[in-house]
Amino acid sequence: MSRPKMNEREASAVYKIETAFWALIEQKDFSDITMQLLAKEAGINRNSLYYHYANLYEVASQAFNEVMSDEASMVFIDTLISAPQNLISNWERLQLSDRVKKVHLFARNNSPLLHSLLKEALISRWFRKLGIDQQSLTAEKLLQIDYIASGFISVLGNPEIEKNPLFLQSFPDSLIGRAAIKTLQQMA
């Protein structure tokens, strides 16, 4: 079957799918979203959806990767670790409010798949920012990093973050935030 032609004035199918995904994840648990529901929300037929994505996990992964573009996510992580007082000045420049909202949607969801995507992205950016070689870490240190990432995901998923995302700015200066950052920095 040939690929459907796109009207130049219409949004691409991928854009429609990802937009519909974010709209659904804002309203529902990931486990309640189906490919059929996603196609309906996107206003496309299921064949078009399956042409672009094999399954819902692929949609979630692609949508999340778009949100976690390297520049924005690295500046966000860098700011949280190094200079939380600068979070506000970086907020609008990198459209962080929309990105943080979408990360919050993943974090507040009960899906182990979404948490896994978020944790993997968070840890890889921590490693890159702090120059940590994952291969050199012991099982104990990897467990500590997993614990810190799980806690941070819990903070990101907290309803208070949805009300005021800038609460994240105070996290690095808190006792537990400083301890987490110090633990990560000592692994570098």
Side-chain angles (χ1 to χ4, degrees):
M1 181 159 109
S2 66
R3 182 177 187 170
K5 301 280 187 233
M6 185 178 100
N7 180 332
E8 289 182 17
R9 288 185 269 176
E10 279 188 36
S12 73
V14 171
Y15 176 80
K16 289 178 180 180
I17 293 164
E18 289 183 13
T19 301
F21 172 79
W22 288 115
L24 287 171
I25 206 73
E26 193 165 1
Q27 303 165 12
K28 300 179 175 292
D29 251 9
F30 183 71
S31 62
D32 295 332
I33 300 172
T34 63
M35 291 292 271
Q36 183 173 353
L37 180 61
L38 182 58
K40 182 178 177 184
E41 180 77 16
I44 62 172
N45 68 47
R46 283 190 357 198
N47 288 341
S48 183
L49 177 58
Y50 281 107
Y51 177 83
H52 295 285
Y53 300 97
N55 54 48
L56 198 54
Y57 180 77
E58 258 188 38
V59 176
S61 181
Q62 177 62 35
F64 184 72
N65 287 336
E66 289 292 322
V67 168
M68 294 295 287
S69 72
D70 277 346
E71 179 195 3
S73 64
M74 288 306 287
V75 169
F76 179 66
I77 296 291
D78 184 40
T79 303
L80 278 176
I81 290 174
S82 310
Q85 68 278 6
N86 295 335
L87 188 60
I88 293 172
S89 63
N90 287 328
W91 199 257
E92 289 305 318
R93 183 172 66 86
L94 296 170
Q95 301 172 324
L96 288 177
S97 60
D98 184 52
R99 292 173 190 276
V100 170
K101 178 183 177 185
K102 289 177 176 177
V103 169
H104 167 75
L105 292 173
F106 265 53
R108 77 165 194 194
N109 206 287
N110 292 323
S111 167
L113 288 173
L114 299 185
H115 282 208
S116 174
L117 279 172
L118 182 52
K119 188 184 292 188
E120 186 178 304
L122 189 60
I123 290 172
S124 73
R125 278 152 181 83
W126 283 346
F127 285 170
R128 201 171 340 146
K129 165 63 185 151
L130 297 170
I132 298 172
D133 176 20
Q134 183 176 358
Q135 305 303 320
S136 67
L137 297 176
T138 64
E140 180 183 8
K141 289 189 186 280
L142 289 170
L143 189 59
Q144 290 171 5
I145 290 171
D146 186 73
Y147 180 79
I148 292 169
S150 295
F152 194 66
I153 290 169
S154 180
V155 168
L156 286 170
N158 189 292
E160 292 302 317
I161 298 301
E162 187 171 18
K163 293 176 195 169
N164 185 358
L166 291 176
F167 279 159
L168 290 173
Q169 187 171 354
S170 63
F171 177 75
D173 287 331
S174 70
L175 183 61
I176 195 153
R178 286 192 311 268
I181 292 168
K182 183 177 178 182
T183 300
L184 290 169
Q185 288 171 335
Q186 287 174 346
M187 291 183 193

